[in-house]
Amino acid sequence: PLGLVTIPTVVHVVWSQAAQNIGDDQIATQLEALNRDFRKRNADLSVLPPVWVPLAADADIEFVLADVTRTRTDVATFDTDDGVKSARTGGVDPVSTDTHLNLWVCQLGGGLLGYAQFPGGPPETDGVVVTHTAFGSSGTATAPFDLGRTLTHEVGHWLNLRHIWGDDGDGCGGDDFVADTPNQAGPNYGRPTYPKVSCNNAPHGDMFVNYMDYTDDAAMVMFTLGQAARMAAALRGPRSGLLA
Ligand code: ARG
Ligand code: ZN
Ligand code: CA
């Protein structure tokens, strides 16, 4: 086992309107939420249906703020094309991607909350992007995405987790390559009621309380032991530069 892994994190705030230049307090609420979620210290774990309590994992990963950069831009809204990740396109370049998590906070377009690069991609675009209104829980953070869970979800991807429904649309043939998550048809939204059955997963149904579903921040409260093991494998493998 790896033991506790601490990941130095750089936050790049990129703004065109003053409100998007979020405060240090909003950044602090986000890092606190991320650490609570990855260390299974989130109080709302109490909403878990009892059947999943034994599967909820302490991922043993913590994040420490290493630096904050602030960049003014003429770009009104960014997209999944990685424009925010380069000074050439109105954003800011990442730093030390081998050893640091780079986070860009900006105005995303089209209702997009965030997106991440999986392990093994190009260093110049490595990291996670989150729209400022879904970042942290103070300042511009807006319900129902104001508990910092967009970053929890995206850092899950950055450490190689797939969506819990297996990314095959609404079919039952997709796989998230994690053994202890139930097979699930498609994404869940909002705040589902237990049990929500699909793909012959009765009686317990979809694990819509998982950070890798698409439910509201207040509904997602856990990673599984299998997901934690998959993230640890990414840290031993393609992301081993993060191990001090
Ligand atoms: N990439 C997903 C999106 O933008 C993130 C979903 C995060 N969900 C949440 N409850 N914060 O749609
Ligand atoms: Zn996702
Ligand atoms: Ca599916």
Side-chain angles (χ1 to χ4, degrees), residues 37 44 47 113 134 142-150 152-153 187-192 208-222:
D37 290 351
D44 56 7
V47 308
L113 299 174
T142 305
F145 304 113
D146 58 346
L147 298 177
R149 260 70 193 252
T150 299
T152 302
H153 175 108
N188 290 297
Y189 297 95
R191 300 182 68 166
F208 58 81
V209 291
N210 194 279
Y211 295 129
M212 301 316 290
D213 206 332
Y214 268 181
T215 44
D216 285 351
D217 279 15
M220 49 170 62
V221 300
M222 69 174 286

Side-chain angles (χ1 to χ4, degrees), residues 43-226:
D44 56 7
L45 207 62
S46 60
V47 308
L48 265 192
V51 63
W52 292 322
V53 168
L55 288 181
D58 173 358
D60 234 6
I61 301 169
E62 293 186 0
F63 302 83
V64 58
L65 189 62
D67 198 11
V68 177
T69 74
R70 295 183 181 275
T71 302
R72 187 170 192 167
T73 186
D74 293 326
V75 179
T77 60
F78 287 98
D79 201 344
T80 51
D81 63 1
D82 294 330
V84 74
K85 300 177 181 175
S86 171
R88 271 185 307 104
T89 47
V92 57
D93 295 359
V95 296
S96 311
T97 53
D98 278 356
T99 52
H100 290 63
L101 168 61
N102 279 254
L103 301 180
W104 290 266
V105 186
C106 62
Q107 180 68 60
L108 288 172
L112 183 68
L113 299 174
Y115 70 99
Q117 181 168 301
F118 283 87
E124 56 273 16
T125 51
D126 192 47
V128 168
V129 184
V130 176
T131 202
H132 67 97
T133 54
F135 192 82
S137 51
S138 66
T140 65
T142 305
F145 304 113
D146 58 346
L147 298 177
R149 260 70 193 252
T150 299
L151 187 60
T152 302
H153 175 108
E154 301 304 341
V155 172
H157 286 314
W158 183 77
L159 292 172
N160 211 30
L161 297 187
R162 309 292 183 94
H163 290 131
I164 193 169
W165 65 91
D167 293 307
D168 65 335
D170 288 335
C172 294
D175 195 350
D176 64 356
F177 308 106
V178 172
D180 60 3
T181 53
N183 190 19
Q184 168 175 328
N188 290 297
Y189 297 95
R191 300 182 68 166
T193 306
Y194 176 86
K196 177 124 188 319
V197 172
S198 72
C199 294
N200 294 310
N201 63 17
H204 307 309
D206 296 356
M207 191 187 276
F208 58 81
V209 291
N210 194 279
Y211 295 129
M212 301 316 290
D213 206 332
Y214 268 181
T215 44
D216 285 351
D217 279 15
M220 49 170 62
V221 300
M222 69 174 286
F223 289 120
T224 67
L225 296 167

